[in-house]
Amino acid sequence: MKICVTSNGPTMDASVDPRFGRCQYFVFVNSETMEYEAMPNPSIGASSGAGIQAAQTVADKGAGVVITGQVGPNAIQTLGATNISIVTGASGTVSDAIEQYKSGQLQAAPAAPGAPAPGMPAAGMPGAGMGRGMGRGGGRGGGRGMGGGMGQGMGRGMGLAAPVTPTPPVPSQPAQTLDEEIQVLESKMIEIKAKLEELKK
């Protein structure tokens, strides 16, 4: 797994930078081999939105975990939307921070207000859910899909589109509940297909 540590320098012996969006460097460490790659933070001089830009940089590098001192709510929401875990409270050197993480001494950052649960897409971002989309179209294109995150339902109604309203964050559900819903939906699909076949005869 690739771990990103915010740092004041480009080496494993550099101290942890407590800032995320405006840290000096990102050090990406392979947790198994401890090989690392350092890069200057391109958003350190951003006039605004440094946290979001930094989060996008980390996501582009394929990191699975971010270790830092503190993270703003916008960066937390952006990182959460890409399934990157956020760990705060690190201190000492980059090497120290990795050891603190491996030994469970660091804690996950609290979710930002309105942020999606881990694994759920942020509002306004495309849902990557595996939704099987039993769209409740009814001719109005209102298919909402039952797939974990605004799951791109297949409601293809040709009527007038319903007004778009903000979608509240989707609460996380136990895997077992989702599996049960999927089974119920699949059985309904089988019944619908059977009825369609009968009507065609």
Side-chain angles (χ1 to χ4, degrees):
M1 178 176 62
K2 185 179 288 188
I3 300 174
C4 174
V5 184
T6 55
S7 170
N8 286 308
T11 68
M12 296 288 285
D13 295 326
S15 60
V16 173
D17 193 326
R19 303 165 297 175
F20 174 70
R22 299 187 186 278
C23 67
Q24 296 288 326
Y25 287 87
F26 292 119
V27 179
F28 298 92
V29 185
N30 185 313
S31 61
E32 297 177 1
T33 64
M34 295 304 288
E35 294 179 352
Y36 72 92
E37 171 191 0
M39 67 174 288
N41 178 8
S43 58
I44 188 172
S47 58
S48 62
I52 294 175
Q53 293 177 39
Q56 292 171 342
T57 298
V58 171
D60 290 343
K61 295 292 288 185
V65 176
V66 167
I67 300 177
T68 186
Q70 57 187 11
V71 185
N74 290 336
I76 287 178
Q77 187 164 357
T78 304
L79 290 168
T82 54
N83 291 326
I84 297 176
S85 301
I86 310 158
V87 182
T88 57
S91 60
T93 66
V94 173
S95 294
D96 293 338
I98 296 292
E99 291 305 317
Q100 291 166 13
Y101 172 71
K102 287 184 174 181
S103 61
Q105 297 178 38
L106 304 179
Q107 295 184 346
M120 296 294 183
M125 297 190 68
M130 298 298 290
R132 293 231 165 62
M134 288 292 291
R136 298 179 188 146
R140 300 199 176 199
R144 293 191 178 266
M146 297 298 292
M150 301 178 291
Q152 303 175 352
M154 297 299 290
R156 292 182 179 161
M158 296 302 290
L160 296 174
V164 177
T165 55
T167 304
V170 181
S172 58
Q173 300 184 42
Q176 183 178 0
T177 303
L178 291 175
D179 288 341
E180 290 175 356
E181 287 190 7
I182 289 172
Q183 291 177 1
V184 170
L185 292 173
E186 287 179 339
S187 65
K188 287 182 179 179
M189 288 180 69
I190 292 172
E191 292 177 7
I192 291 171
K193 287 180 180 178
K195 288 180 180 179
L196 287 172
E197 290 300 325
E198 288 180 7
L199 291 172
K200 288 179 182 178
K201 293 179 180 179

